[in-house]
Amino acid sequence: MKKFLFPISLKIIILGILNALAIWSVIILIFDSHYWMGGILILGVVFINYIFLSEKAYPFRYMVPGLIFLVIMVIYPIFYTIYVSFTNYGTGHILNKEQAIEQFENQVYFPKDSVSYTFQAFKNDSGEIKIILFSPEEEAYLCENKKIIVKVDLSDPRFIDQDKDGIIDQFDNYKKLDKIQTIQRLNELQNLRFKKDEYIIKLTNLTEFKVCNKKYQFDSSLDRLLDLENGKVYHNIEGYFVSEDGERLTPGFRVKIGFQNFTKLIRSQQISGPFLRVFGWTFLWAFLSVITTFALGLTLAIILNDPYLRLRKIYRTLLIVPYSIPFFISCLIWRGFFNTEVGIVNRILNNFFQVIIPWLQDPIWAKVALVVVNLWLGFPYMMIITLGALQSIPSELGEAASIDGASRWQQFKNITFPLLLVSLAPLLIGSFAFNFNNFNVIYLVTQGRPAIPGAGTPAGATDILISYTYRLAFEGVRGNQWGLASAVSLIIFIIVAVISAIGFRYTRSLEEVSKNV
Amino acid sequence: MKKFLTVLLVLVMLLGLVSMVSASEAGKLLIWCDETRTPVLAEAGKDFTALYGVPVEVQEVGFADIRSKLTTTAPVGEGADLIIGPHDWIGELIENGLLEPISLFTELRSKFVPVSLEAFTYGGKLYGLPYATEAVALFYNKDLVPEPPATFEELITIAKGLTNREKGEYGFLIQMPDPYHSFPLLSATGGYIFGENPDGTTNPLDVGLANEGAIRGANLLLRLVQEGIEVPGADYQTVTGLFNEGKLAMMIAGPWTLGGIKEAGINYGITKIPTIDGQVAKPFVGVNGFMISTFSENKLLARTFLTEFIATKDIMLKLYEKATRPPAFLPALDEVSANPDIKGIAISAADGIPMPKIPEMASVWGAWSDALELIVNEKLEPDQAMKNAAEQIKKTIMGE
């Protein structure tokens, strides 16, 4: 089978490079202890090698790019969400345990009799650094091997003051660093730790080293943190180090907490109380969105499909305009239109009918406003897909029906509409699922408001499940609760999946209808 | 060719994976900054590089995104060394282990407005170098209100005389439902958000939004509605838009509205929020500053950049020129204190209280806005609405 565009050797070379890169990456990943990622990478590369080397797996070569994107953009996020929903990931628990322990172990405290040293850094021609510390009693200490300090006499001949201004310019063959050079070497200096008795001396700011001591020590066998300053013991409790008397250290860290996020959803009155009401409105919202946009889109499509209509290309273009305006902008403009006091809708209503409607202040009217906005945003899509589907219905069917004496309404009801639904029903289900999670319109127009009097929970009258999730996750106790948010999204995912599955089963029965036409 | 492209694609993605696990750079300062201040800092960074030979990169990040971006990227070694932001971020950032304390010499400390340093202090440690303070104040149109009211009773009388909703003219508006702008009404008579523990730290279980003073403030808000002054749907765009058209005589607003007002050519003045029952209306004071990431590999360098370079009159004035806020740095504040805008905001801020910065604040805004909305829409009595809000906040914090 020598029908390759490239000679086989080129394929081998490219695969070789790929494998070399993969091995390199896997080594880095494993050293960084990302074992999962490393394992997945190995599997992926082995798979790619197999399909490019084996003739049997030839068809897979066309699917690889799609599969890779599917894994990265769909499968990985789903699994990650599932994983997060079983953790306490959120404000206060952002770091992993190793990072938190590292932060604690890097902390120092200054003992009561802590001494500050001014310092002078010197470097030799090869760039090595020596530091001389000066104590408050004008004693000098040399930091010899970067670990311990040795007292040196100021009359030591190695101190050289060339211009006799009382400031040492040189130590041995090491030249003094001026301020600019010191700043340039700051990263190196800040990591220096010298030992003095049981204490350490480290750089605390641009001009001084200070005696300090390690504040915390982690004891991995007992999984606890020891405060070396006052001997307090902190135990690992659900992502925090907590002492016996309830003192909690920050930062906390991420831990797996099992089903706690899910049980919280059920147990907490704050969360589960409004669930049914929110769910009901979500369902109604998605349903109304689909029905209204489809009805308008269908009507317009049928009118525009009439060959006797003049200028229909212009109409068609104009009607697509709402679709082409970024809907963020549309939503905000509509929000302005519906402003009770200065909005154009109420101005017009007031001029002609002397009524003022509290669009965004009343639960019912806010819902009406949302459906209207979504109708404006959604009908062009429905119109376009219906126009497309109308083209695919053979005109003979209509002609035959009219010869048989069917009225135009009968033709539409018994022929056109059922045939349209065959191709459109899956799209309508898709639209339903989309609107079920249509966070943007809700958030940009009403933000889930108005509030419900006496509800005592964070859900507003127009909150749908996903915007309610947003409130729970980001306006909750203390900032972000990604674990909880993931748990709710998982539940929403299941709900949408079930609804879609039922919908698709229903469309299959529609296909049978089309066979009988 | 297709096959070649496929392999290329895989290669590119592998490279992406490898670069993802590389760490951030030592020896180079990376600053995240909003669009207004990026030019100033970029210039300062260049000067710093010229002087010390340390490269400085200033990256523009949307103001609202800086915090969340640091939260997600810093732990994986991709975050900035320095960020710019308001002080009420620090509680959450510190709880997440993302901020490094900054120690300042007494000499430098004394050059800052004390309240600005206090705002950036958490658990006894300083976590930011402040550069500007801000607070809401009473903005008035001098053509409509020649003499600003000193008390709320006066304000109500003036506002009633100027309000003509048929003609689209308004006397006084507060954007609604917005806890931040209406807090002065609640605070004047003794309302507060969180109380304090004896040791001076914030106590999230002492919610003062439903005490007598707060309810009195909420009733005042209702009165504004009932007198026909405050209107439903008065959001930020509506209020500032009306003011800029000259159709609104007075509003409670912050220095961020100044750009639009000046552009519209309104003859405006800024002053204290009028007293309520003879008590001073205390707005929230927000302080903006620079913060250092715990995950920075250049902590001392970053601090040196701040203390040696940013904390200078020159840079502080440049930051002031980009956005009119009272500087937190005293030498710069002295230079510009004659500016009437700065004067007005500074007078208002002088009475203010720093916005609480504990992460529990997240649970406050939603419940509080809901309460205000119900009051303004006259759906619930003020005392009931505020009590519900306080109850809800407590429940959320206790995790019920």
Side-chain angles (χ1 to χ4, degrees), chain A residues 110-127:
Chain A
F110 299 107
K112 276 200 190 90
D113 52 351
S114 173
V115 184
S116 296
Y117 298 88
T118 55
F119 77 98
Q120 182 58 60
F122 301 87
K123 69 160 190 197
N124 67 4
D125 292 338
S126 53

Side-chain angles (χ1 to χ4, degrees), chain B residues 360-382:
Chain B
E360 277 81 2
M361 273 305 277
S363 64
V364 173
W365 301 118
W368 189 0
S369 311
D370 284 355
L372 292 175
E373 188 186 17
L374 293 169
I375 294 167
V376 175
N377 295 344
E378 299 182 71
K379 302 268 184 197
L380 208 59
E381 287 300 312

Side-chain angles (χ1 to χ4, degrees), chain B residues 168-192:
Chain B
E169 290 170 359
Y170 303 89
F172 170 72
L173 288 178
I174 309 179
Q175 79 185 59
M176 273 297 148
D178 184 289
Y180 180 79
H181 284 79
S182 53
F183 178 67
L185 269 60
L186 271 60
S187 68
T189 43
Y192 56 86

Side-chain angles (χ1 to χ4, degrees), chain A residues 304-319:
Chain A
L304 286 175
N305 205 38
D306 189 335
Y308 299 110
L309 183 71
R310 291 164 77 194
L311 301 174
R312 53 190 180 130
K313 276 194 179 144
I314 293 175
Y315 293 136
R316 209 182 302 180
T317 316
L318 284 177
L319 284 169

Side-chain angles (χ1 to χ4, degrees), chain A residues 4-5 14 25 52 68 92 99 103 179 184 187 190 203-205 250 268 270 339 341 361 449 451 476 479, chain B residues 1 3 7 13 18 27 52 75 96-97 165 170 233 238 297-298 300 303 308 362 369-370 373 377 396 400:
Chain A
F4 300 113
L5 267 172
I14 292 175
S25 313
F52 277 97
I68 289 174
Q99 285 173 321
Q103 281 201 11
K179 190 176 170 189
Q184 284 168 353
N187 275 326
Q190 76 179 359
L203 188 65
T204 54
N205 62 48
T250 56
S268 166
Q270 286 257 51
N339 187 299
E341 189 68 19
Q361 281 76 45
R449 297 183 169 281
Chain B
M1 195 63 203
K3 206 177 331 166
V7 175
M13 281 177 8
V18 171
Y52 296 106
N96 286 341
R165 286 164 73 171
Y170 303 89
T238 312
E297 301 196 26
N298 309 295
L300 267 185
R303 202 171 80 198
E308 298 283 309
S369 311
D370 284 355
E373 188 186 17
N377 295 344
T396 312
E400 277 172 30

Side-chain angles (χ1 to χ4, degrees), chain B residues 264-278:
Chain B
I266 299 290
N267 180 17
Y268 69 97
I270 305 174
T271 188
K272 262 185 198 212
I273 297 166
T275 55
I276 299 166
D277 297 347

